[in-house]
Each structure stands twice: as C-alpha cells, then as structure tokens.
Amino acid sequence: MKQVVSVKRRALAANEERAEAIRSRFSNSGTLVVNLISSPGSGKTTLLEATVRALNGELGTAVIEGDVATENDADRIRALGVPAHQILTGGACHLDARQIEQALEDSRLPEVDILFIENVGNLICPTTYDLGEDFKVVLLSVTEGDDKPVKYPAIFARAEVAVITKSDLLPHVPFDLESAQSQIVSLNPNGAIVVTSSLAGEGLDDWLDLLRQRLQVKRQSRG
Amino acid sequence: MKQVVSVKRRALAANEERAEAIRSRFSNSGTLVVNLISSPGSGKTTLLEATVRALNGELGTAVIEGDVATENDADRIRALGVPAHQILTGGACHLDARQIEQALEDSRLPEVDILFIENVGNLICPTTYDLGEDFKVVLLSVTEGDDKPVKYPAIFARAEVAVITKSDLLPHVPFDLESAQSQIVSLNPNGAIVVTSSLAGEGLDDWLDLLRQRLQVKRQSRG
C-alpha cells in the first residue's frame, strides 16, 4: 500500500509541474481557464451549451471535453460553432495536466477568452488533479439530493464556485436548497454559489457575470 | 506510468483473492450478496430503504455502506431497524474486498439472507473491484440523461442488473427511456433491466422478485 501511495505522490508532483506550465501560458495570453467537475449527469455539458451560446459574439470560447468514452459531448459543443477537443481517458476517472497539454496542441483550438475544461463525470478523482485552471467549478443538480456536499467534502471545499443545477426540477424533488447552500458555505466560506437551470434559464445571468468578472480581474492583474 | 500500472495490477490481483474468500464464505451460508454501483445521487440508499422495508419479516437483510465521508447512509438504514455497517474510504473512490472482510467482523452484522453493499458514489472506479458479490447492480436515474450507458460502458457491460431510477420524474426531464434501454442491452445482452421509482413505488415488485429469484437459485445450487 505504501508503494501505491508513493507512486501516486510522484504522479501528483509531476502533474503539478505541468499544471504550472499551463497556468503560466494562459497567464501570458490572458485566457481564463475554468475546470468543471461533477457527477455524471449533473448538467456540465448542458450548462456549457447555454454558456457558449450566450457569450457568442461577445467573447471567444473553446471547450476541452473529458470522457471515459464517446465524442458525444465535443460534438454537442461543435454543433454550436464553438471549437471543442475531446479527450478520451479509456478507463481513467479524471483528466490530468499532460492530457490538457496534448489537447492544446490541437490546431483547431484557437486562442480564446475563456477555455472551459469539462472533467470526467466524477465527484472524487478530479479533485486532486490541478489542470492549470484559474478555478474549479463544482456542479450539483437538485435531483442528486441535498446531502451531497458533506458526503463529498473535498471538491466542495476546493471549488471556488458551486453551481446548483436543474433548479426547474425543485418542485418535483425532495431537495432542501438552504441546507445544501449552508453545507457548501461551511466547507468553503469564501466560495460563490449560483443556482441555475440551463433549460429554463434561471441564474444564467449570474453565472455569466461571474465569468466576465473573473476574466476582467485576470486581465487587470496582468497590468 | 508503467510502474503505476503494475502496482495497480498487483493490487487488483490481491483484491481478487480476498473477493474469492468472501464469495466462498457466502456460498456456504447461502447469503445473496448484491453490490450496488452508481453516480452520487442516483438513489442507491433510497432504493435500499424501500427494499429492506418491503422485505422486512420475509427475509433477513443487512447493508454495508461505502462513502468518502459521513455515517449518514448507514444511519438511514439503521433507522429502519436493519443492521448497517459504514465504511469510510477517506478519499478513495471505491470499496475493496479487504474493507468488506473487515466490515464482516462487525458483530452487529448478523448472518442474513441478503447482504447489500452500497458502493461509493462513482460510475467508474468501483467497476473493476470484485467485492465477492453474487452480482453487481448499476443504477441510472432518469435525471442523469439517456446518454450515460455508452459514456460509461464498462459498468453497464459488467452489471448483471441495471435499475433505472426516479421514473416518477420522467414527465419533467428529457430522457429517452427506449434509447437508454437499448444502449444497456447492446452493452450487456444477457442483463436484466428494471425501471423503478423508490418514492412512487413503480417497479419495486419487479426488483424484489428479481432478488427473491436470485436468492432461490443460489440456495438451490447449493443443493
């Protein structure tokens, strides 16, 4: 077991180096990089569809999709005229910085204002892998239950933004919004929480304003 | 990377040995062991609550709960008067056979007819870890989207039973039931599919009959 731990520690240290190189590259270009993490089916791709559609004409966006199998998610983004690169992990339960570096060599990924990385559907493994992003976003759909933040505390503590999704389904499911929000606040007192429905449109303006603001802060800090 | 792979292979081989020991123990006792796997929030605990409640007085049941954090799920089962043992994995994204062996030393876990193991909420990592179960059950809630079987093919190919959950929400979500079912059938032509709503009660009789039948077959094969 000790050997597994030390191999994993070395892998994480190597990942950290590559992530810093990615961060430095995008610090120069002024591109905001956002790493989206959630369970399968929490609505990451649907939120991205609504996001790139809304920002179209205002900001340049691109998406790196991570999945165990299929190009389906990249195809959904490309159908909106937005460049997307699909990473297939085979069996792996998270993306790593090396895969992002390789994806960035894809000539179809232009320099953009905001690069979204949609991680593999998983609330656990992606938590510890830095991809060179500006910040992590964790999504939690109201259909998953209001008990999830305390059951998966690491990602809710580490993600600077929590997006509660599928709010249009609140009338149909037993989900205590206040309880979920207060768990998230206690795990991450400085984080932001946005409540959205990508299908009904609720909260999307808040989410888009948050992205615009973070992009502006990043560019101002570049001087 | 090669070293990581070989360490992982050795860990899996060691796990396999322990799993076989567990399988042999429950072959002797005639206990049916069911390993439930799904994303966080697909309704594993809620299905188990409905199941042990329905079987109460007819069959003895117990539950081993796997979670990254909190005893909440075991507490929900215990509240129904059914013995439950909580395994906390810290950060690990799946249960392993060693943890099941240790849980079985818990004197509060009596000999029962059906032992349910609720794995950590994750559609990827638990797939390759044999826990000595008779069969794996994968759950997919209709709110997660009908594209999930082909995106997470390994678990849908390996689980002998797929339970589609939260069918009461079908009128409110874009979920093509036929498409999901046909993906599951193509990944696992010999598997069983049950459509359920633990809250509304739909399909629970089919699920309970499946459990009774598998228990009967196991005991008959013991001779």
Side-chain angles (χ1 to χ4, degrees), chain A residues 8 59 90 127 133 136 145 158 169 176 221 223:
Chain A
K8 185 164 182 209
L59 292 172
T127 309
E133 70 271 352
K136 291 180 170 65
R158 207 170 289 205
L169 294 175
D176 184 335
S221 74

Side-chain angles (χ1 to χ4, degrees), chain B residues 64-87:
Chain B
I64 295 176
E65 290 286 349
D67 276 294
V68 170
T70 84
E71 289 246 342
N72 295 355
D73 286 357
D75 287 342
R76 286 170 62 183
I77 299 297
R78 289 180 194 130
L80 301 171
V82 169
H85 177 97
Q86 181 78 51
I87 298 173

Side-chain angles (χ1 to χ4, degrees), chain A residues 8-141:
Chain A
K8 185 164 182 209
R9 197 172 294 145
R10 282 204 300 282
L12 276 174
N15 185 76
E16 199 59 40
E17 265 182 44
R18 289 172 187 273
E20 281 310 322
I22 296 170
R23 191 166 282 116
S24 159
R25 164 184 180 154
F26 287 118
S27 171
N28 292 330
S29 69
T31 298
L32 187 72
V33 182
V34 183
N35 179 2
L36 286 89
I37 296 171
S38 80
S39 304
S42 299
K44 293 182 293 303
T45 316
T46 306
L47 179 65
L48 284 178
E49 287 174 322
T51 303
V52 301
R53 203 184 276 122
L55 294 176
N56 184 24
E58 176 192 340
L59 292 172
T61 59
V63 178
I64 295 176
E65 289 285 350
D67 277 295
V68 171
T70 83
E71 288 246 343
N72 295 357
D73 286 357
D75 287 342
R76 286 171 60 182
I77 300 297
R78 289 179 193 129
L80 301 171
V82 168
H85 177 96
Q86 180 77 51
I87 297 172
L88 295 180
T89 68
C93 55
H94 62 87
L95 294 177
D96 61 36
R98 186 183 50 85
Q99 291 170 317
I100 302 301
E101 277 183 340
Q102 286 170 347
L104 293 171
E105 289 167 16
D106 184 340
S107 55
R108 290 167 301 178
L109 274 190
E111 291 287 319
V112 289
D113 299 300
I114 308 183
L115 173 65
F116 296 99
I117 302 172
E118 181 181 337
N119 223 308
V120 179
N122 201 303
L123 264 186
I124 304 170
C125 317
T127 309
T128 45
Y129 282 82
D130 186 353
L131 304 181
E133 70 271 352
D134 287 282
F135 59 99
K136 291 180 170 65
V137 176
V138 62
L139 283 75
L140 171 66
S141 65

Side-chain angles (χ1 to χ4, degrees), chain A residues 141-163:
Chain A
S141 65
V142 302
T143 60
E144 289 167 63
D146 51 44
D147 58 340
K148 294 304 171 292
V150 293
K151 287 185 66 185
Y152 299 87
I155 185 58
F156 286 92
R158 207 170 289 205
E160 291 180 31
V161 180
V163 179

Side-chain angles (χ1 to χ4, degrees), chain A residues 3-4 7 10 39-41 67-70 72-73 76 91-93 120-125 143-144 147-148 150-153 166 169 172-174 199, chain B residues 3-4 7 10 39-41 67-70 72-73 76 91-93 120-125 143-144 147-148 150-153 166 169 172-174 199:
Chain A
Q3 198 186 353
V4 177
V7 168
R10 282 204 300 282
S39 304
D67 277 295
V68 171
T70 83
N72 295 357
D73 286 357
R76 286 171 60 182
C93 55
V120 179
N122 201 303
L123 264 186
I124 304 170
C125 317
T143 60
E144 289 167 63
D147 58 340
K148 294 304 171 292
V150 293
K151 287 185 66 185
Y152 299 87
K166 309 193 188 184
L169 294 175
H172 309 294
V173 293
L199 297 186
Chain B
Q3 197 187 352
V4 177
V7 168
R10 280 204 301 280
S39 304
D67 276 294
V68 170
T70 84
N72 295 355
D73 286 357
R76 286 170 62 183
C93 55
V120 179
N122 201 302
L123 264 186
I124 304 172
C125 318
T143 60
E144 289 169 61
D147 58 340
K148 293 303 171 293
V150 295
K151 288 184 67 187
Y152 299 86
K166 307 192 189 184
L169 294 174
H172 309 294
V173 294
L199 297 187

